Amino acid sequence: RYTLKAILGLSEQDDDTDGGAARDEWVQRAEETANEKDLNTLVREASAAFNKARDAKGLGTFMFAATKHREFLKEVAARESAT
């Protein structure tokens, strides 16, 4: 039974612990940062957490979101300095 579920990637009700919820939380926290300094601090914290959990996929997902948010913060800063 368990071998078949492992092969198919299925899980019992609440035993799916692949880190998806943690990734989502870190991504949400990154998107809520208001400036690059706070984002950089969060990236250091998240990197340590993902490395400790040995979650390379989660780190990649987080870093993609953090990079996109950093670009957004730079655009906002550029618009504000232009006015």
Side-chain angles (χ1 to χ4, degrees), residues 30 39 43 61-71:
L39 181 59
V43 165
T61 300
F62 170 78
M63 292 303 291
F64 179 79
T67 300
K68 289 301 225 181
H69 188 62
R70 180 175 282 113
E71 291 170 2

Side-chain angles (χ1 to χ4, degrees), residues 17-80:
T17 58
D18 71 348
R23 279 193 293 267
D24 294 345
E25 281 183 36
W26 282 108
V27 167
Q28 181 179 355
R29 287 180 62 192
E31 291 172 346
E32 291 173 351
T33 58
N35 57 58
E36 279 193 84
K37 180 182 177 191
D38 291 345
L39 181 59
N40 291 339
T41 299
L42 186 68
V43 165
R44 283 191 297 277
E45 292 172 14
S47 294
F50 283 113
N51 287 330
K52 184 177 181 183
R54 297 182 182 197
D55 185 1
K57 182 179 178 183
L59 179 58
T61 300
F62 170 78
M63 292 303 291
F64 179 79
T67 300
K68 289 301 225 181
H69 188 62
R70 180 175 282 113
E71 291 170 2
F72 170 75
L73 291 173
K74 286 181 179 181
E75 289 174 16
V76 169
R79 276 187 255 137
E80 289 176 355

Side-chain angles (χ1 to χ4, degrees), residues 1-21:
R1 172 177 147 197
Y2 296 107
T3 303
L4 178 61
K5 287 185 178 190
I7 292 169
L8 297 175
L10 301 175
S11 66
E12 296 292 328
Q13 290 175 343
D14 292 325
D15 69 347
D16 188 7
T17 58
D18 71 348

